[in-house]
C-alpha cells in the first residue's frame, strides 16, 4: 500500500530522455505539480541503454547539462541523474524502490503519459508499482485515457498539451530553423550547437 504521512515531501517523478528538454516538459511539470498538489517534481533523465544504442540520442551528460540549465529558475523543478548510477537497463520499479530507500522523507509519485498508461500492465512489476506508489497520468497526443475504472491511487490530470516535440526540435536544428519559443531561451545556443548533427 502507499504509505504517506503529512510531513513527507510529495515528489513527482517525471522520467524521459529529454533529448532535448523543451518548454512542453517544463510547462507540464509545473501544471501537474499544482494539480496533483506535489511539493516538487524531479525530471529523471534516462540514461542510454548500453545494450540498445538509440540513434539520435545525445550523450547522457550533455542531455543532463542542458536540462539542468533549462530549469535553473524553476524553484519546484529539479533535474536528476539518479538513474545514471543504477544498474541498466533501469526499470521504473527498481528506480522507485531505490529512491524510497535513499530518501525516506519523501513520498514518490510516478508521472506518466496516457500512452504509457495504455500499456502499463506490461511494465516490469506493474502491480507492485500500483500497490506501492501513487500515479499521475497526463494526456499524450493520440492516446486516449480510459478514466474508469481506475485503481484508487491513480489520478488523471487533464493538462493542456503544447504542440512541441523533441523530434521536431532536432529536425529544425538540423535544417537551421529557429527553435525560439520551443525551448527556454537560456538553452537555445546549447541545443543548436549540440544537436546540429544529431538525427
Amino acid at each position: 500500500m502507499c504509505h504517506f504521512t503529512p510531513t513527507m515531501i510529495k515528489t513527482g517523478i517525471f522520467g524521459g530522455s529529454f533529448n532535448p528538454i523543451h518548454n512542453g516538459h517544463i510547462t507540464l511539470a509545473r501544471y501537474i505539480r499544482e494539480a496533483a498538489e506535489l511539493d516538487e517534481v524531479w525530471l529523471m533523465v534516462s540514461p542510454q541503454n548500453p545494450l540498445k544504442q538509440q540513434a539520435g540520442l545525445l550523450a547522457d551528460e550533455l542531455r543532463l547539462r542542458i536540462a539542468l540549465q533549462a530549469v535553473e529558475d524553476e524553484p519546484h523543478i529539479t533535474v536528476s541523474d539518479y538513474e545514471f548510477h543504477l544498474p541498466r537497463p533501469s526499470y521504473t520499479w527498481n528506480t522507485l524502490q531505490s529512491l524510497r530507500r535513499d530518501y525516506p522523507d519523501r513520498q514518490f509519485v510516478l508521472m506518466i503519459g496516457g500512452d504509457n498508461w495504455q500499456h502499463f500492465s506490461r511494465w516490469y512489476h506493474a502491480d507492485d508499482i500500483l500497490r506501492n506508489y501513487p500515479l499521475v497520468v497526463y494526456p499524450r497526443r493520440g492516446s486516449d485515457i480510459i478514466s474508469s475504472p481506475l485503481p484508487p491511487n491513480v489520478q488523471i490530470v487533464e493538462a493542456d498539451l503544447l504542440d512541441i516535440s523533441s523530434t521536431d526540435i532536432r529536425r529544425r536544428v538540423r535544417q537551421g530553423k529557429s527553435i525560439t519559443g520551443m525551448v527556454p531561451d537560456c538553452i537555445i545556443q546549447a541545443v543548436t550547437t549540440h544537436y546540429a548533427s544529431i538525427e
Side-chain angles (χ1 to χ4, degrees), residues 35 46 53 61-62 64 67 69 75 87 92 113 116 157 160 165 168 170 174 185 192-193:
S46 301
Q53 297 301 318
E61 293 300 330
L62 288 174
L64 177 71
Q69 187 177 354
T92 298
N116 279 317
V157 172
D160 291 333
S165 76
D168 190 37
R170 295 195 303 272
R174 289 197 310 274
D185 289 347
T192 300
T193 298

Side-chain angles (χ1 to χ4, degrees), residues 57-73:
L57 187 64
L58 195 67
D60 293 350
E61 293 300 330
L62 288 174
R63 285 183 291 122
L64 177 71
R65 190 188 313 161
I66 292 171
L68 285 166
Q69 187 177 354
V71 302
E72 280 181 349
D73 296 326

Side-chain angles (χ1 to χ4, degrees), residues 143-167:
S143 299
D144 294 326
I145 301 176
I146 300 173
S147 58
S148 64
L150 287 173
N153 59 323
V154 176
Q155 176 183 354
I156 302 295
V157 172
E158 295 294 345
D160 291 333
L161 290 173
L162 291 183
D163 194 18
I164 303 173
S165 76
S166 296
T167 301

